[in-house]
Amino acid sequence: AVKRPGVYEIVEGMRVVDLVDLAGGLDQMADLDLINSKINLAKLVFNEDHIVIPFIASAETDLNSTDSLLNTS
């Protein structure tokens, strides 16, 4: 739920919040409650991380684990 989803080149020391900014910021339909409770915006990002910022409609998916939001495998 960012304005410009895609693949971004990261720089060492970047955090999830920096990546959200690179992607144009949060979309107006971003699920802010879920983002604030499940996503650590201060987490450092690394090459090959897959970060999902959920839309309000996707809140019905199983989000019991932050792995479904931040896939670092």
Side-chain angles (χ1 to χ4, degrees):
V2 292
K3 293 179 182 174
R4 294 187 312 269
V7 177
Y8 291 90
E9 187 173 331
I10 59 169
V11 178
E12 186 176 341
M14 286 184 82
R15 299 183 181 275
V16 173
V17 68
D18 301 321
L19 199 52
V20 169
D21 287 342
L22 269 179
L26 294 173
D27 184 275
Q28 66 184 17
M29 294 301 295
D31 189 334
L32 298 179
D33 290 335
L34 189 58
I35 292 166
N36 290 328
S37 67
K38 295 284 188 178
I39 297 177
N40 179 358
L41 295 173
K43 184 180 182 337
L44 291 172
V45 292
F46 299 95
N47 189 35
E48 298 183 10
D49 280 357
H50 178 218
I51 301 167
V52 176
I53 306 296
F55 284 98
I56 292 170
S58 67
E60 296 174 9
T61 59
D62 181 18
L63 297 174
N64 292 329
S65 168
T66 54
D67 290 343
S68 61
L69 298 174
L70 179 60
N71 180 359
T72 58
S73 56

